[in-house]
């Protein structure tokens, strides 16, 4: 553990350079917008031919105008008088009354007879897996002749305009065989495209995957996609493939600490990430106090990660969006899969209820760690379970229904008796109004609650009570995709949400409750539940200007309203209570408005490379009180109100992507600069969550807002990644340079300090090598700067007792973190006609046996109380594990 040197502290010079960099980025974005400005024309011509008018227009506009002289020479001379008309108005005027029309192709204006213009028709439908019927998200559907296409949306739907006549569309999706479909188009056509997962010989084909084409053509930054197959290829902890552990190795994402599933994205805190499970928010993502996540990998279809450039249809968090989509269920055949590990097992059952019309999937996981622990030590144990259920039905070609639910719970008696659970449900209705307009209407429910039980005795009085906290959310939202043409896709929608926060609630015998609530006259204040309404509207457009240039722009507007619960509300000034007012039941007493612009730009430099830039403004109204920086089930959610204002963030990003070696290697570099306002942290010497449970409840119920301070946060960094996908070898290597700072009054004497998530250097190497069709070897290595910390630096005597003095906030750093994990997977031999398949996974965590210090315990020396002893604590030594997986 060492003190941070001056180079590691943010100087005025570096701040000046960052401001200049941000200014240049804004200029770059603005310069790319200049070509889109409207050019106006004044034309005054007397008795001239159509050829003369077109030549003059070509000269003034600088556009290439192509036409056949034999076609236009037959028209008489005419006069034209136009003022302040744009190019489109000029063309319409000069072709008025003639059997001519125009088309714009690649910025070239073509004048042709109306008879030669083919009518365009809509080709729309769904893309799905041929064997299971699972809808494929982000699949690339393109017209073969022009190589222009669209992506399937979150429900596998696509829409493309094609000219009448004979045509072909090509469908590509990573991991599937390309499929070409011949069409005779004379009307709007709806089709269902089924892709096969037949193996492809990579050495005998040119790879132009859907993934590379999407990356190169779309104005979306900081977005990555993972599937459950990607997660299974990684080394596992205690035999369990975990979604959050997989996300923590991606560039720009870091684990809050080794014993936490919480993540920090680009210098943000762990509460600034929005986790959606089939559109339902998940407020607590951990099991076993953070060792595992609540997401069952076998039930997951796809995960999309947005690191700051969050689409306009999502809001409520500053740093990232983790959009997890569950499998729909096999519509063709019944299937069973599962696994047995060291501490838990899982089982998944799916199949059709009506072939090709309705299906289900049920996925469960159960941990028997608590049972094993109780065999060793009575009264000590911890267990958890998860249950995912999903049903979907195709009503007709225009309507489809999805019903998803999740229930998970933990029961722990390790340090205290604590129970906590998550429950989510989403009911979604897809409707196709017409080929151009797709809608999804959702009803969403989410509930998180934890309960901690206490038992104590004082003066022969027995205190039995529990401390409960949680948050409940009910939402109704409507999302629309409008496919204006092949160049514009407009997304818009609205939502309304009711949230009920329960920061703290007591249950127990009257003796305990009276003793606690009478400790302070105002103790009942925050024990009351807090209701909130949140409403939002959004609209965005993804527009292709040319084959090289495309934009994504939109705006999100939201209104956050705090509701009275028939209790007193306090006003704070300088973080102290100055007065109060009574908020009647369901009366709005605080409003917060937010307008959040989003902008993205993509300029395709060459066929295999692109430059991207983006600006994103986000607002976060929900706040989280964390007992530790790693987060956990004991954290408390509470709303922004008249005292604690919503957090806001402005993020600027600039990046470059290039594909090499026939698109088998992806290289990228991305830089960002983020400014955050109203970030929350504890004041120096905060007393929140004292070790005494009675005092804890009292302080939490009344005083927690006085323990908090708000101010500014800054984060900047650069992410480099090299990703490969060969026949034998696949994986990625990444390096991230990232800094994160806070400047908050009353913390660190108002001076700037490092945020708890400042880790300047991170290197990751994640590789998977297929030794044969049955054997594969995986490895994951991470090197990262150590965690910042605050430590006691001296001891003084006060009234005969030793008193420790502490360093500046986060002024020291723990030793660097490094860990190497490896795994070997052995698959069963493929036998023709055999439906049962299995595999063994052998993993070793921390092969190098490096003690990664998570925190330091400081204690007074037994022989000399003026000396402080420090002892580092680490979580993992070498941990071998074995697991068995099967499917049939």
């Amino acid at each position: 553990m060492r003190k941070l040197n001056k180079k590691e502290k943010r100087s005025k010079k570096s701040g000046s350079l960052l401001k200049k960099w941000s200014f240049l980025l804004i200029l770059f974005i603005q310069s790319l917008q200049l070509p889109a400005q409207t050019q106006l024309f004044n034309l005054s011509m007397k008795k001239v031919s159509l050829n003369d008018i077109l030549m003059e227009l070509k000269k003034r506009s600088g556009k290439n105008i192509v036409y056949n002289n034999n076609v236009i020479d037959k028209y008489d001379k005419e006069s034209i008088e136009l003022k302040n008309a744009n190019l489109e108005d000029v063309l319409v005027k000069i072709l008025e009354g003639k059997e001519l029309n125009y088309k714009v192709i690649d910025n070239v204006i073509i004048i042709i007879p109306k008879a030669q213009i083919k009518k365009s028709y809509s080709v729309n439908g769904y893309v799905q897996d041929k064997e299971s019927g699972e809808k494929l998200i982000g699949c690339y559907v393109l017209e073969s002749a022009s190589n222009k296409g669209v992506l399937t949306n979150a429900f596998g739907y696509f829409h493309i305009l094609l000219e009448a006549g004979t045509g072909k569309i090509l469908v590509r999706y990573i991991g599937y065989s390309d499929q070409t479909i011949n069409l005779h188009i004379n009307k709007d056509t709806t089709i269902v495209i089924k892709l096969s997962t037949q193996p492809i010989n990579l050495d005998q084909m040119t790879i132009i995957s859907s993934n590379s084409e999407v990356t190169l053509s779309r104005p979306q930054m900081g977005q990555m996609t993972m599937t459950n197959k990607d997660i299974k290829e990684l080394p596992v902890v205690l035999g369990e493939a975990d979604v959050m552990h997989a996300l923590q190795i991606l560039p720009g994402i870091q684990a809050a600490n080794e014993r936490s599933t919480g993540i920090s994205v680009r210098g943000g805190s762990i509460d600034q990430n929005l986790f959606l499970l089939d559109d339902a928010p998940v407020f607590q993502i951990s099991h076993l106090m953070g060792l595992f996540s609540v997401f069952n990998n076998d039930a997951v279809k796809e995960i999309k990660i947005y690191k700051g450039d969050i689409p306009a249809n999502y809001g409520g968090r500053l740093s990232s969006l983790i959009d997890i989509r569950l499998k729909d269920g096999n519509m063709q055949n019944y299937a069973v899969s599962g696994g047995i590990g060291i501490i838990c097992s899982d089982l998944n059952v799916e199949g059709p209820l009506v072939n090709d019309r309705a299906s289900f999937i049920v996925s469960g996981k159960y941990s028997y760690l608590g049972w094993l622990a109780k065999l060793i030590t009575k009264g000590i144990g911890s267990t958890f379970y998860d249950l995912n259920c999903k049903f979907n039905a195709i009503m007709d070609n225009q309507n489809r229904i999805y019903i998803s639910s999740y229930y998970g719970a933990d029961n722990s008696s390790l340090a205290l008796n604590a129970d906590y659970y998550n429950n989510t449900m989403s009911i979604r209705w897809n409707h196709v109004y017409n080929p151009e307009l797709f809608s999804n209407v959702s009803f969403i429910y989410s509930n998180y609650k934890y309960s901690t039980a206490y038992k104590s005795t004082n003066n022969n009085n027995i205190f039995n009570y529990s401390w409960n906290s949680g948050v409940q959310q009910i939402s109704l939202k409507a999302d629309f995709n409008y496919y204006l043409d092949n160049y514009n896709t407009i997304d818009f929608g609205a939502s309304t949400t009711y949230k009920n926060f329960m920061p703290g609630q007591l249950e127990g015998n009257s003796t305990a409750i009276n003793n606690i609530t009478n400790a302070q006259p105002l103790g009942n204040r925050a024990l009351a539940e807090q209701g909130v309404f949140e409403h939002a509207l959004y609209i965005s457009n993804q527009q292709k200007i040319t084959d090289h240039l495309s934009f994504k722009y939109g705006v999100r507007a939201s209104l956050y309203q705090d509701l009275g619960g028939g209790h007193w509300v306090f006003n704070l000034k300088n973080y102290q209570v100055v007065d109060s007012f009574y908020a009647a039941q369901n009366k709005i007493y605080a409003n917060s408005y937010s307008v959040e612009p989003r902008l993205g730009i993509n300029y395709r430099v060459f066929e295999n490379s692109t430059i991207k830039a983006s600006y994103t403004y986000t607002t976060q109204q929900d706040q989280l009180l964390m007992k530790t920086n790693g987060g956990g089930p004991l954290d408390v959610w509470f709303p922004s109100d008249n005292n604690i204002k919503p957090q806001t963030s402005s993020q600027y990003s600039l990046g470059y992507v290039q594909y090499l070696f026939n698109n088998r290697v992806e290289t990228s570099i991305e830089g960002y600069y983020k400014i955050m306002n109203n970030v929350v942290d504890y004041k120096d010497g905060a007393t929140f969550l004292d070790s005494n449970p009675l005092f804890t409840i009292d302080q939490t119920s009344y005083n927690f807002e006085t323990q908090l301070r708000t101010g500014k946060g800054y984060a900047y960094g650069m992410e480099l990644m090299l990703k490969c996908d060969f026949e034998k070898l696949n994986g990625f290597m990444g390096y991230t340079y990232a800094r994160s700072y806070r400047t908050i009054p009353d913390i660190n004497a108002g001076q700037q300090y490092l945020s708890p998530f400042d880790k300047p250097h991170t290197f990751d190497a994640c590789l998977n090598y297929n030794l044969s069709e049955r054997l594969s070897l995986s490895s994951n290595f991470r090197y990262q700067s150590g965690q910042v910390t605050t430590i006691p630096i001296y001891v003084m005597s006060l009234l005969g007792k030793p008193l420790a003095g502490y360093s500046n906030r986060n002024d020291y750093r723990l030793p660097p973190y490094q860990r190497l994990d490896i795994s070997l997977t052995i698959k069963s031999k493929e036998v023709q006609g055999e439906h049962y398949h299995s595999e063994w996974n052998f993993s070793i965590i921390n092969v190098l046996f490096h003690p990664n210090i998570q925190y330091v315990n400081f204690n007074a020396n037994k022989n000399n109380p003026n000396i402080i002893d420090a002892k580092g604590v680490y979580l993992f030594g070498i941990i071998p594990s074995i697991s068995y997986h099967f499917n049939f």
Side-chain angles (χ1 to χ4, degrees), residues 476-490:
L476 182 64
K477 68 172 187 172
D479 301 293
F480 298 86
N481 307 128
Y482 179 58
Y483 302 90
L484 181 63
D485 51 38
N486 289 345
Y487 302 95
N488 293 272
T489 301
I490 302 172

Side-chain angles (χ1 to χ4, degrees), residues 574-586:
N574 296 325
Y575 305 102
Q576 298 299 319
V577 176
V578 292
D579 61 15
S580 62
F581 60 91
Y582 183 77
Q585 189 74 31
N586 296 325

Side-chain angles (χ1 to χ4, degrees), residues 742-770:
R742 301 285 187 267
T743 303
I744 301 177
D746 296 341
I747 296 179
N748 206 47
Q751 299 298 309
Q752 180 177 271
Y753 63 96
L754 295 174
S755 86
F757 310 101
D758 179 81
K759 296 178 181 178
H761 304 286
T762 302
F763 173 78
D764 288 289
C766 180
L767 300 173
N768 182 68
Y769 186 75
N770 296 313

Side-chain angles (χ1 to χ4, degrees), residues 688-703:
F688 174 66
L689 287 178
D690 188 90
S691 58
N692 184 337
L694 292 179
F695 182 71
T696 295
I697 291 178
D698 183 55
Q699 292 296 314
T700 304
S701 65
Y702 167 65
N703 216 24

Side-chain angles (χ1 to χ4, degrees), residues 210-447:
S210 62
N211 186 58
S212 63
E213 186 60 33
V214 170
T215 303
L216 291 168
S217 61
R218 298 192 75 193
Q220 179 70 53
M221 292 194 69
Q223 191 259 315
M224 303 184 74
T225 301
M226 298 187 78
T227 65
N228 65 342
K229 180 182 176 182
D230 299 326
I231 296 170
K232 285 181 179 178
E233 290 179 347
L234 298 173
V236 299
V237 178
L238 296 174
E240 186 63 28
D242 191 84
V243 169
M244 292 309 303
H245 290 161
L247 297 186
Q248 289 171 351
I249 67 173
L250 298 178
I253 301 176
Q254 58 177 260
N257 55 56
E258 195 171 40
R259 57 185 172 83
S260 171
T261 55
I263 57 174
S264 169
V265 179
R266 293 184 170 179
S269 60
I270 65 171
D271 65 307
Q272 295 175 357
N273 309 297
L274 177 61
F275 293 91
L276 297 179
L277 188 65
D278 270 355
D279 284 335
V282 181
F283 290 97
Q284 174 53 243
I285 63 169
S286 69
H287 282 310
L288 293 181
M289 296 296 187
L291 193 59
F292 296 105
S293 73
V294 301
F295 307 114
N296 187 350
N297 186 58
D298 285 337
V300 170
K301 175 164 62 176
E302 183 180 82
I303 306 168
K304 287 189 180 295
I305 306 103
Y306 298 86
K307 298 182 294 184
D309 186 11
I310 300 175
N313 49 319
Y314 298 103
R317 297 293 187 273
L318 294 194
S319 292
S320 77
L321 163 67
I322 313 297
D323 186 13
I324 302 173
R325 301 282 170 165
L326 299 177
K327 294 177 181 178
D328 299 330
N330 197 316
M331 282 201 171
Q332 308 290 332
N333 302 291
Y334 291 97
V336 178
S337 63
I340 302 172
I342 293 177
I343 65 168
C344 63
S345 295
D346 60 88
L347 183 66
N348 313 278
V349 181
E350 60 181 311
L353 296 172
V354 179
N355 278 349
D356 292 325
R357 302 291 292 181
S359 68
F360 75 94
I361 180 171
V362 177
S363 181
K365 181 191 296 184
Y366 180 77
S367 167
Y368 29 78
L369 181 62
W371 177 74
L372 294 174
K374 287 180 180 179
L375 293 179
I376 301 172
T377 304
K378 291 184 178 180
I380 299 295
S382 183
T383 189
F384 68 85
Y385 62 88
D386 297 307
L387 180 64
N388 295 92
C389 301
K390 189 171 182 177
F391 163 81
N392 82 100
I394 302 173
M395 313 305 291
D396 52 42
N397 288 338
Q398 282 75 43
N399 297 280
R400 183 166 183 163
I401 293 176
Y402 297 85
I403 301 176
S404 303
S405 68
Y406 163 74
Y407 187 88
D410 279 66
N411 179 265
S412 174
S413 56
L414 294 174
L416 68 168
N417 294 319
D419 298 311
Y420 53 98
Y421 66 85
N422 278 301
N423 179 214
T424 71
M425 173 175 284
S426 59
I427 302 174
R428 295 172 293 173
W429 167 46
N430 291 176
H431 180 66
V432 180
Y433 289 91
N434 56 57
E436 291 79 22
L437 185 58
F438 177 94
S439 74
N440 176 59
V441 178
S442 305
F443 171 80
I444 296 167
Y445 172 80
S446 182
N447 186 29

Side-chain angles (χ1 to χ4, degrees), residues 53-180:
I53 297 174
L54 292 174
M55 290 296 289
E56 181 67 18
L57 183 60
K58 179 178 179 181
K59 178 181 176 181
R60 295 195 187 188
S61 67
K63 302 286 186 183
N64 190 12
I65 302 178
V66 178
Y67 51 88
N68 187 330
N69 287 325
N70 295 329
V71 174
I72 68 171
D73 284 347
K74 65 181 182 179
Y75 292 99
D76 296 332
K77 292 183 179 181
E78 59 182 305
S79 298
I80 184 168
E81 192 78 30
L82 287 173
K83 290 184 178 181
N84 296 326
N86 59 36
L87 182 58
E88 182 180 358
D89 291 338
V90 173
L91 288 169
V92 170
K93 179 65 177 178
I94 63 178
L95 298 180
E96 187 178 22
K98 302 177 180 67
E99 292 299 316
L100 298 174
N101 210 332
Y102 72 94
K103 293 183 66 176
V104 180
I105 301 177
D106 292 336
N107 217 26
V108 176
I109 300 171
I110 304 173
I111 308 297
I112 55 177
K114 289 182 179 179
Q116 294 182 14
I117 297 180
K118 294 183 179 180
K119 187 176 180 180
S120 293
Y121 291 99
S122 167
V123 177
N124 66 94
Y126 296 88
V127 182
Q128 64 186 42
D129 183 286
K130 183 178 181 179
E131 295 182 0
S132 67
E134 285 278 348
K135 296 298 182 284
L136 301 180
I137 304 169
C139 184
Y140 202 54
V141 181
L142 67 156
E143 182 187 9
S144 298
S146 64
N147 208 36
K148 297 176 182 178
V150 296
L151 295 175
T152 57
N153 67 8
F155 300 94
Y157 181 82
F158 73 93
H159 171 274
I160 190 170
L161 287 173
L162 299 179
E163 290 186 345
T166 301
K168 294 181 180 179
I169 59 174
L170 178 63
V171 186
R172 286 192 173 120
Y173 194 63
I174 191 167
Y176 288 77
S177 302
D178 290 356
Q179 185 171 340
T180 301

